[in-house]
Amino acid sequence: MAKASKEIVVTLEALLSGEVSEEQVSALSFEQALRLLEEVVTSVESGSLPLDRAIGSYEHGTSLIKHLRKLLSGAEEKLRVLNQG
Amino acid sequence: MAKSGDPYLTVTEATRQINDTFEAVFPQLLFHGEISQLTVAASGHLYFSVKDQGAQLSCVMWAGMVRTLSFKPAQGVAVRVHGRPNVYAQSGRFQIVVSRLLEDGEGELQRKFLELKDRLQREGFFSVERKRPLPFLPRAVGLVTSKTGAVLHDMMVKLRERFPSMVVYLSETRVQGDGAAKEIASAIRKLDESKLVDVIIVARGGGSLEDLWAFNEEEVVKAVFAASVPVVSGVGHETDTTLCDFAADVRAPTPTAAAEMVVPKVSDLLQRVGELERRLKDFDRWLQPLVQRVDELSMRLDARAGMVVAEAKLRIKAAEARLTSIKPDKVLELLRGRIDLFHGRLYRVGMASTDRHRATVTHLHERLRRAIPSERIAHHRGIVDSLGGRLLVGVQRGVEDARSKVVSLGQRLDSINPQRVLDRGYSIVRVSGKNVRSVVDVSSGDTMEISVSDGVVLGTVTQRSKER
């Protein structure tokens, strides 16, 4: 009875190596994007990344933040009624 | 008694006669049924109905009797009643004044509830293993409830408060009465099949076991179980339990609590994202390890430059020591050659290591330039430039020192060159290969070898004297 999950799985590795398009990032669920952002920030803070990757991380982190903010923003929604019958 | 001749009684008299008759015929009436419409009055009296499929009787139990009860009367509980029929004169209401009330096992509905619960449990509809976690942030929330009533309103208020832009779909249904279960089940399926929502709330306000009965029906349980997204059951009050609660992925105590569970607070999430953004943009913090590495390399460059100079000084000192200990003129040219060679090598070592360090510095410089925001670059470029400069100066100074040492050693070597002494008119006298320094070094008849500036003169000792 488990739901067939269609969620795209994006790893930190794929994100940092530039295999993930802007489009794919904007399709991430809030939870996925937040988890990735946390990983990005943690790895950047650890100082273990080579310089160019640290800079890349910064850019990816910024686009994740943009996406997360977008998911949280928006006007108040009206109740939508699904017709019976 | 009625007045003679008038067949009509007063209402009060009629009521009294009815009550007398009841008392005579039913001094004690025993019956059983199920409690419903239970009210505890402020006075402590208990008002309720006892009913079965075909009829119901209004009952009253005085407060004094209520306190002796061994169980807590509740809706749907089957009871055995001892009482006497009575018409309450003030309202004309027929009622049973209950003198004794016994619990008759469990009520019919309660029994049905437990039977169904047992069976569905055995069939796996309530199994804990299939409970799914709620989504962290659903794309949209589905509500299955009545369009009228406070429940929908209360849930919307809570959802708006937590996440104003959350999309909410209502799949409306009756929640009580004949056919309600079928409607509820179909409303759940409709929402699920729409694929519009990530979570479904099935909700209804509080009520009696009968009122909530639709949520105990097998159809509803199966629809909840079959849903492809998690279902939260918010049916009745905290104390009410329905089979829908058991089948759902999460049971909420009330509809409002269910609304609270399915969406996070947008302010919490914004704060979380803001915090991560602040950390990501804290360059000073995340560049710290890189800056430290540059510092480390700087110190290593300093140390290396110092070593090159120290090594040069040491080797010059050694050469100097060897030069002062050796005098013969034949060795002189050789020495001069070796000093030149050494000089050249020293110079090359200095230049090569300068080049190597210069390359490292250039490489670091380039990496920094690409990596670090421009205001930092300027700072680090300064450090690197001054390091490069210091390295070069250090090595060049070492080389200069060596060069001037070599020149002064050359001059000192020249000044002790024996040829120069001979050029000035002095001679060197040797007997049997030994330099003659004293009159006692020679005897009469010895052959002397006298070196002058342009050759050798041979002579014989004829006399010796300490007198000049």
Side-chain angles (χ1 to χ4, degrees):
Chain A
M1 210 52 55
K3 176 186 170 189
S5 176
K6 268 196 242 157
E7 200 176 10
I8 327 138
V9 177
V10 172
T11 60
L12 181 66
E13 192 53 40
L15 184 76
L16 295 191
S17 56
E19 288 164 17
V20 185
S21 69
E22 194 79 8
E23 211 169 279
Q24 281 171 298
V25 166
S26 64
L28 288 174
S29 75
F30 186 89
E31 193 179 10
Q32 260 252 351
L34 185 69
R35 196 169 49 237
L36 272 173
L37 177 61
E38 268 167 355
E39 284 175 18
V40 165
V41 170
T42 310
S43 67
V44 152
E45 283 177 343
S46 76
S48 60
L49 290 179
L51 271 170
D52 50 345
R53 295 200 72 181
I55 297 304
S57 301
Y58 175 73
E59 281 159 12
H60 293 303
T62 310
S63 73
L64 285 169
I65 288 169
K66 208 174 102 197
H67 174 53
L68 285 166
R69 286 244 159 85
K70 203 171 140 211
L71 288 177
L72 294 180
S73 67
E76 183 164 307
E77 272 286 339
K78 294 234 162 22
L79 178 68
R80 302 178 192 180
V81 179
L82 223 64
N83 286 336
Q84 277 287 117
Chain B
M1 278 292 132
K3 275 186 257 173
S4 59
D6 190 348
Y8 296 95
L9 304 174
T10 61
V11 176
T12 308
E13 182 60 18
T15 306
R16 199 186 59 76
Q17 281 193 18
I18 288 167
N19 279 337
D20 286 351
T21 308
F22 280 155
E23 210 140 14
V25 181
F26 307 110
Q28 181 160 251
L29 190 61
L30 305 180
F31 60 94
H32 66 87
E34 224 172 69
I35 293 180
S36 82
Q37 294 165 33
L38 182 81
T39 317
V40 183
S43 59
H45 302 334
L46 202 64
Y47 297 92
F48 56 99
S49 291
V50 174
K51 66 172 196 177
D52 60 13
Q53 242 87 58
Q56 61 176 322
L57 285 168
S58 295
C59 299
V60 59
M61 192 174 205
W62 309 126
M65 298 295 301
V66 173
R67 283 192 286 274
T68 69
L69 284 174
S70 58
F71 73 103
K72 196 173 186 312
Q75 296 275 3
V77 174
V79 286
R80 291 184 179 269
V81 184
H82 297 215
R84 55 181 176 81
N86 174 266
V87 173
Y88 180 50
Q90 267 81 13
S91 66
R93 179 185 164 93
F94 177 78
Q95 62 184 12
I96 306 293
V97 178
V98 179
S99 55
R100 204 165 169 214
L101 188 65
L102 300 166
E103 191 177 14
D104 187 13
E106 286 156 327
E108 184 62 18
L109 277 180
Q110 194 69 22
R111 194 185 50 71
K112 233 172 110 186
F113 175 86
L114 291 176
E115 260 178 30
L116 195 53
K117 185 183 162 202
D118 274 358
R119 181 162 64 78
L120 294 175
Q121 182 137 40
R122 279 197 306 276
E123 289 172 15
F125 287 102
F126 306 149
S127 83
V128 176
E129 297 84 62
R130 77 166 288 278
K131 304 287 183 205
R132 293 158 297 193
L134 297 180
F136 182 75
L137 177 64
R139 283 173 301 140
V141 174
L143 303 180
V144 173
T145 192
S146 163
K147 197 177 181 181
T148 55
V151 168
L152 178 60
H153 175 259
D154 291 350
M155 286 197 293
M156 287 308 290
V157 166
K158 183 54 80 178
L159 289 168
R160 290 285 158 273
E161 174 192 311
R162 293 176 70 83
F163 206 105
S165 61
M166 181 54 62
V167 179
V168 182
Y169 288 95
L170 171 67
S171 186
E172 52 175 320
T173 172
R174 286 187 300 132
V175 290
Q176 180 168 5
D178 277 350
K182 202 176 157 93
E183 266 191 36
I184 295 165
S186 129
I188 294 171
R189 279 193 298 271
K190 195 174 286 288
L191 257 184
D192 191 32
E193 283 159 11
S194 76
K195 299 285 170 208
L196 291 169
V197 300
D198 288 337
V199 63
I200 293 173
I201 298 177
V202 178
R204 188 204 187 284
S208 68
L209 183 59
E210 294 151 282
D211 292 340
L212 301 181
W213 189 256
F215 294 88
N216 290 322
E217 299 273 15
E218 194 166 344
E219 269 186 294
V220 172
V221 167
K222 288 186 171 168
V224 167
F225 184 84
S228 66
V229 296
V231 176
V232 179
S233 171
V235 177
H237 296 306
E238 176 115 44
T239 48
D240 300 320
T241 308
T242 64
L243 297 186
C244 174
D245 291 340
F246 290 119
D249 294 277
V250 177
R251 187 209 162 188
T254 62
T256 316
E260 197 160 358
M261 283 177 185
V262 298
V263 292
K265 269 174 98 166
V266 72
S267 54
D268 288 351
L269 299 183
L270 281 170
Q271 199 183 334
R272 184 91 174 278
V273 172
E275 164 68 13
L276 285 168
E277 184 177 31
R278 197 188 57 66
R279 276 166 63 189
L280 182 70
K281 296 192 171 168
D282 188 351
F283 294 112
D284 278 344
R285 179 161 165 196
W286 68 264
L287 277 178
Q288 208 52 53
L290 301 173
V291 172
Q292 202 174 335
R293 185 151 164 68
V294 170
D295 287 347
E296 223 168 79
L297 286 168
S298 310
M299 288 188 284
R300 272 166 58 192
L301 276 175
D302 274 348
R304 179 75 187 127
M307 258 166 61
V308 169
V309 173
E311 196 187 347
K313 280 183 177 159
L314 211 67
R315 292 176 70 171
I316 288 164
K317 226 183 203 131
E320 195 176 27
R322 269 157 60 198
L323 279 173
T324 48
S325 69
I326 298 167
K327 283 170 190 156
D329 54 341
K330 280 195 175 168
V331 182
L332 192 65
E333 283 310 312
L334 189 68
L335 268 177
R336 209 195 291 274
R338 283 184 63 184
I339 285 168
D340 284 346
L341 198 67
F342 166 66
H343 187 160
R345 255 166 57 199
L346 178 61
Y347 195 76
R348 278 197 304 279
V349 166
M351 289 323 279
S353 75
T354 305
D355 284 346
R356 203 165 59 241
H357 291 301
R358 187 178 288 143
T360 308
V361 167
T362 307
H363 177 62
L364 275 171
H365 194 150
E366 182 57 26
R367 278 169 63 193
L368 273 172
R369 193 182 60 73
R370 273 187 283 118
I372 303 177
S374 58
E375 69 269 24
R376 292 209 144 261
I377 291 179
H379 173 63
H380 290 290
R381 181 181 290 151
I383 294 178
V384 170
D385 283 352
S386 98
L387 277 172
R390 275 156 64 194
L391 175 67
L392 208 58
V393 167
V395 171
Q396 282 172 349
R397 196 166 50 226
V399 171
E400 266 326 303
D401 280 357
R403 206 199 303 273
S404 65
K405 276 271 159 64
V406 168
V407 170
S408 98
L409 281 170
Q411 287 165 348
R412 280 169 63 193
L413 275 174
D414 269 355
S415 72
I416 57 168
N417 189 343
Q419 184 65 38
R420 296 276 291 273
V421 179
L422 300 184
D423 287 348
R424 291 208 299 273
Y426 294 93
S427 303
I428 298 169
V429 181
R430 293 192 184 86
V431 170
S432 311
K434 282 182 69 185
N435 283 8
V436 177
R437 294 167 189 274
S438 158
V439 291
V440 299
D441 286 345
V442 299
S443 314
S444 283
D446 278 354
T447 304
M448 294 178 296
E449 199 182 292
I450 302 157
S451 293
V452 293
S453 66
D454 56 349
V456 177
V457 179
L458 295 180
T460 307
V461 178
T462 53
Q463 194 183 344
R464 52 179 204 175
S465 164
K466 287 206 170 188
E467 303 290 322
R468 276 186 216 260

